[in-house]
């Protein structure tokens, strides 16, 4: 049976007090709406329809950029007259049969299996609601059941509920699955005769019930899946819960987190055995840590792979961006090191404090321990790159490469003006500015010769 997914994302999100549309606010580094689209894109739906309204251009552009492959459909809701009105806008693009799954763009942690369970519960001939019991149901639509407690009769919005109904703890989460043909029919009969003057999607429940269609309720595995975000405080709370859950999954795999409350993963993190991660680290994009990797406190690592046994000392920033970054086995990086896109380090490489590496390959055993820059360079094995030395890779218009052969020793405070090649075994005297290629096994020194005047008298202050 064909499945259509409708995601409501037109609301203003007034309580966010932001110029950014609510569904674009980020959870774990990604817009809330993206989470919903991503987790339901595995459901084999025939279509995914996003209802936009407030900030529609921005929302649509962001989603088109992120989900270039997935054929998302956008339907505008102007003005926003309630959740029922929102889904009404999608009616022209929905088929006449199959199942429609309705989700909220501001409830980011819905799990694919829960969405699938809701579709299965609908089975094409029932109205399936995702419900949950809350200790404090304030603000939510209440699930009103018959006296046996089996049959769902209606959803009553908090503002329209009687005191008895407000005592009900089972609430509607905002997600439902319905037979598309029936849904279209019910939507055409909605009115806005209620406390908020809105077209409530939730009114379809009483209509289904009146038609004798069974209304069934399914529950999520975890409360966090159905928590919506209306304010910065709720967003921060959901972020922490999500991070805690991710941290626990990693610890179950054996990863040692110094403090799961001070750990942030905004993407995917794959870890080998015996990985240690100290406090306040942030992992973004796709990061892979090999066996026995140690990550010091306050590191930020994005789109990178770290080889077995490497140690990343505190305050190191590694950002592979689209090119990636790789740290070889047994390497020592930081503290205060910066690896940028295209940094490809071999095994046993040492990168020390205030060293920046960009778009450069370093052979096994190469070392740059202090205050240095390697950009657009190919560095051989066992090279020692002195403190304060830099590759001058940019001439103001173009970038050029520096090639440094195996076993080269570059002294301190050198400038290698690219394009330039240092042959294997070359030694560069400290303070040199190298503009010409240096053949293998030679010494190059390019600086003013030292002048020493013995018995030199400094000028004296004139006395009057
Ligand atoms: C809705 C439900 C309530 C449920 C709660 C769960 C209705 C009438 N009520 O209430 O039973 O307990 O969700 O969170 O459905 N939206 C639009 N267009 C609109 C209005 C809303 O796209 O005109 C979108 C919002 O962007 C949001 C979602 O629909 O993603 C829910 O809207 P919201 O106003 O938060 O609904 P609630 O009043 O919380
Ligand atoms: Ca809401």
């Amino acid at each position: 049976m064909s499945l259509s997914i409708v995601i409501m994302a037109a609301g203003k999100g007034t309580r966010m007090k932001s110029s950014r549309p609510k569904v674009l606010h980020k959870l774990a580094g990604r817009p809330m709406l993206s989470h919903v689209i991503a987790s339901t894109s595995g459901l084999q739906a025939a279509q995914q329809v996003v209802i936009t309204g407030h900030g529609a251009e921005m929302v649509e552009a962001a989603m088109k950029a992120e989900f270039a492959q997935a054929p998302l459909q956008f339907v505008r809701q102007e003005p926003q007259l309630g959740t029922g009105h929102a889904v009404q806008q999608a009616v022209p693009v929905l088929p006449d049969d199959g199942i429609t799954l309705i989700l909220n763009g501001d409830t980011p942690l819905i799990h694919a299996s829960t969405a699938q369970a809701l579709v299965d519960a609908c089975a094409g001939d029932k109205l399936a609601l995702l419900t949950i019991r809350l200790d404090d149901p304030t603000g939510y639509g209440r699930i009103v059941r018959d006296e046996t407690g089996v049959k769902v009769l209606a959803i009553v919005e908090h503002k329209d509920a009687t005191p008895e109904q407000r005592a009900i703890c089972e609430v509607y989460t905002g997600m439902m699955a319905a037979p598309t043909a029936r849904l279209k029919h019910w939507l055409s009969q909605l009115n806005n005769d209620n406390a908020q003057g809105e077209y409530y999607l939730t009114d379809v429940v009483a209509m289904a019930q009146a038609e004798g269609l069974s209304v069934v309720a399914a529950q999520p595995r975890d409360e966090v899946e159905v928590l919506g975000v209306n304010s910065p405080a709720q967003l921060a709370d959901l972020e922490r819960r999500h991070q805690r859950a991710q941290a626990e999954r990693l610890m179950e795999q054996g990863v040692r987190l110094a403090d799961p409350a001070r750990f942030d993963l905004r993407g995917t993190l794959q870890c080998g055995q015996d990985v240690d991660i100290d406090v306040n680290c942030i992992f973004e994009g796709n990061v892979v840590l090999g066996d026995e990797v140690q990550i010091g406190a306050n590191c930020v690592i994005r789109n990178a792979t770290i080889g077995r046994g490497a140690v990343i000392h505190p305050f190191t920033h590694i950002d592979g961006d689209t090119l990636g970054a790789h740290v070889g086995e047994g390497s020592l990086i930081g503290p205060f090191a910066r690896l940028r896109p295209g940094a490809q380090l071999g095994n046993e490489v040492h990168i020390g404090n205030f060293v920046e590496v960009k778009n450069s390959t370093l052979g096994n055993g190469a070392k740059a321990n202090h205050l240095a820059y390697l950009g657009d360079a190919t560095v051989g094995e066992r090279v020692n790159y002195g403190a304060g030395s830099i590759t001058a890779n940019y001439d103001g218009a173009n970038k050029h490469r520096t090639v440094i052969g195996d076993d080269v020793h570059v002294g301190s405070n050198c400038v290698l003006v690219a394009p330039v090649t240092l042959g294997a075994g070359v030694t560069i005297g400290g303070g040199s500015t190298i503009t010409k290629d240096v053949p293998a096994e030679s010494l190059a020194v390019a600086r003013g010769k030292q002048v020493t005047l013995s018995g030199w008298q400094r000028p004296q202050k004139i006395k009057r």
Side-chain angles (χ1 to χ4, degrees), residues 8 83 87 99-104 110 113-133 140-146 149-157 168 170-179 183 186-187 200-209 213-221 225-226:
M8 295 186 287
T83 52
V87 183
I99 296 174
T100 297
L101 172 67
I102 300 171
L103 303 164
N104 276 337
I110 181 67
S113 60
T114 299
Q116 184 63 52
L118 200 56
V119 172
D120 294 344
C122 165
D125 61 357
K126 298 184 218 30
L127 175 59
L129 308 174
L130 192 66
T131 72
I132 191 166
R133 291 184 173 279
Y140 286 89
R142 304 300 204 280
I143 304 296
V144 180
R145 290 174 181 264
D146 69 356
V150 178
K151 241 185 182 172
V152 175
L153 302 178
I155 296 175
V156 178
E157 290 305 303
I168 298 170
E170 189 186 5
V171 304
Y172 174 55
T173 61
M175 295 170 237
M176 66 168 70
L183 178 69
W186 300 326
L187 288 170
Y200 289 166
L201 176 63
T202 44
D203 285 351
V204 304
V205 177
M207 295 179 192
Q209 160 64 25
L213 208 91
S214 23
V215 180
V216 294
Q219 281 76 36
R221 281 185 312 184
E225 289 185 66
V226 299

Side-chain angles (χ1 to χ4, degrees), residues 22 104 106 228-230:
K22 177 164 82 172
N104 276 337
D106 64 357
V229 169
N230 297 305

Side-chain angles (χ1 to χ4, degrees), residues 25-47:
H25 282 276
K26 290 181 179 178
L27 183 114
R30 194 178 195 192
M32 291 194 276
L33 179 56
S34 305
H35 284 274
V36 180
I37 293 172
S39 62
T40 55
S41 58
L43 296 187
Q44 252 110 49
Q47 56 177 172

